[in-house]
Amino acid sequence: MPKNMDLTKGDVFSTLLRFSMPFLFTNLLQACYGASDLFMVGHFSDAAAVCAVAVGGQVMQTITGLAIGLTAGGTVLVGRWRGARQARELADSVAAILWVFGALSLVLTAGAVLLVEPVCRAMQVPAEAWRQAKEYLLICAAGIPPIVGYNALSSILRGLGDSRTPFLFMVAACVTNVATDVLFVAVLKGGAQGAAVSTVLAQLLSLALAFGFLVRRGYVRRYRAAQPAFCWRHARALLGMGLPIAAQEGLVNISFLIITAIVNGMGLVASAAVGVVEKLIVFSMLPTTAFAAAVSAMAAQNFGARQPGRARACMNTGIGLSLLFGLACFASAQVNAAGLVSMFTKDPAVIAAGAGYLRTYSADCLLVCFVFCMNGFFSGGGRAAFPLVHSAVATFAVRVPLSWCLSRGTGATLRRVGLAAPAATLVSLLLCQWYLMRSGAWQAEKTPPRRCERAGP
């Protein structure tokens, strides 16, 4: 059984690096779901199918981001009890995670099915891609419970200090997704629908592997032996930590949807180009996302162990490591934007439009290195509400209105629209720095939530 890491001890740099690597590779493989779909459809179907998968992928990314954000609250809760060495309360927190996220998966699935057509209308999906986008989303809705279930189980393991095992599950799921994409899209010519079926099968596999591992390694037996009880206090603590993170993720992804809707008004080529570039941006930000997630888990354990100074050192280290990757991604986009876009499409018009968009958008890869790791620090310390606040301000006061303005008027191009993302992130960074410098604001609650009153010994 993999040894769970104690994130409250040892050298900060080496601990963060070792703990974050499985996060990075897991996020990379998770991103391969949508990228594999778009890659295969872009090479074996037409622009309408590319647009359908791009739009559908944005919607599913919003739902996945919501699930990841909420389950990140589970990592923080488990991590803080782990750091405080309170085994029974840790078991109760796991019970809350399973009940809350089980109910959430059903709600999200029902909502996704009911809102398919309104979402397609709101996003101004081009008529040529309407039918395929609707069918793609309906099929992908079946994969929502596995998405939530996998991320819930992974959040528990990561809170305990095991970030490697979720990565291994994702390896198998990603290989399955690529193989079935070849079958359903390249061989059977299933287009967007075939890509959706492939994604759902891979998601089911990741959940089955996660649950099978827990049973085989004795986690389930030991969990039941601890006699966990569902406790509303743990559930409230879970939602209190997870909802702001999820809402923040939701705001970011909703802004992507709104901007996609704005760009869809510029035509099919612009819509397909933005869809491709968003996939590239997701990949470019994976290292930063991984370091930020590791910072959140490490901060949670260290705040639970009453070591806020070490938690802040984790944040600073995460920012430094993230910048190494951010600079490389920014430089690549400036030097070879057209080559990067051409990996996902052969359409010359889409490549040209996407290259201009990527060059300006890529400045965001530098700014998010600071913002994401600061958010991880705030969330791990129990101050997840502030990332939600600054994200809302940056999204709806800067990015969305600026994107709308830059997409209007004569000579409007995607290159201009791409400036909105770094402008919004700069506002977030300034707000984060202000909050961090406030006297005592970063000194989050140093003790875990109060214990539940329990009957029995």
Side-chain angles (χ1 to χ4, degrees), residues 182-359:
V182 172
L183 173 63
F184 292 122
V185 180
V187 178
L188 299 179
K189 307 297 182 184
Q193 297 88 341
V197 171
S198 172
T199 299
V200 171
L201 290 176
Q203 289 160 348
L204 285 168
L205 178 64
S206 65
L207 176 60
L209 289 174
F211 184 73
F213 171 83
L214 295 177
V215 173
R216 183 179 179 85
R217 294 296 186 177
Y219 278 105
V220 174
R221 175 177 51 79
R222 291 196 297 275
Y223 167 71
R224 294 178 64 184
Q227 298 180 336
F230 177 78
C231 172
W232 282 109
R233 187 171 292 116
H234 281 295
R236 286 194 298 270
L238 173 65
L239 293 174
M241 295 174 190
L243 280 175
I245 301 173
Q248 178 201 352
E249 291 284 341
L251 285 177
V252 171
N253 285 292
I254 287 171
S255 74
F256 289 158
L257 295 178
I258 295 173
I259 291 165
T260 300
I262 291 170
V263 171
N264 283 347
M266 299 173 69
L268 184 63
V269 169
S271 176
V274 168
V276 169
V277 171
E278 290 295 352
K279 294 298 179 188
L280 290 168
I281 291 294
V282 166
F283 274 101
S284 70
M285 293 184 180
L286 288 178
T288 302
T289 304
F291 289 127
V295 167
S296 180
M298 289 185 70
Q301 283 200 18
N302 281 284
F303 276 117
R306 304 190 180 189
Q307 300 184 78
R310 180 180 169 87
R312 186 159 186 171
C314 294
M315 178 194 72
N316 293 334
T317 304
I319 291 172
L321 290 169
S322 299
L323 273 173
L324 295 176
F325 291 91
L327 285 167
C329 293
F330 175 73
S332 299
Q334 301 309 307
V335 172
N336 191 28
L340 293 172
V341 175
S342 66
M343 291 191 300
F344 291 93
T345 180
K346 295 179 178 178
D347 191 317
V350 174
I351 292 172
Y357 186 59
L358 179 60
R359 285 194 178 95

Side-chain angles (χ1 to χ4, degrees), residues 60-131:
M60 292 307 300
Q61 181 62 35
T62 301
I63 295 172
T64 302
L66 179 63
I68 291 174
L70 282 168
T71 54
T75 297
V76 172
L77 185 62
V78 169
R80 294 184 75 184
W81 284 122
R82 169 77 164 81
R85 306 298 193 268
Q86 297 291 339
R88 194 162 186 178
E89 279 67 35
L90 192 153
D92 288 348
S93 69
V94 170
I97 289 170
L98 297 178
W99 279 102
V100 169
F101 293 133
L104 173 70
S105 68
L106 299 178
V107 172
L108 287 176
T109 302
V113 171
L114 294 173
L115 296 176
V116 165
E117 289 200 8
V119 166
C120 288
R121 282 196 296 270
M123 293 187 67
Q124 303 183 56
V125 175
E128 304 94 322
W130 176 274
R131 180 184 60 82

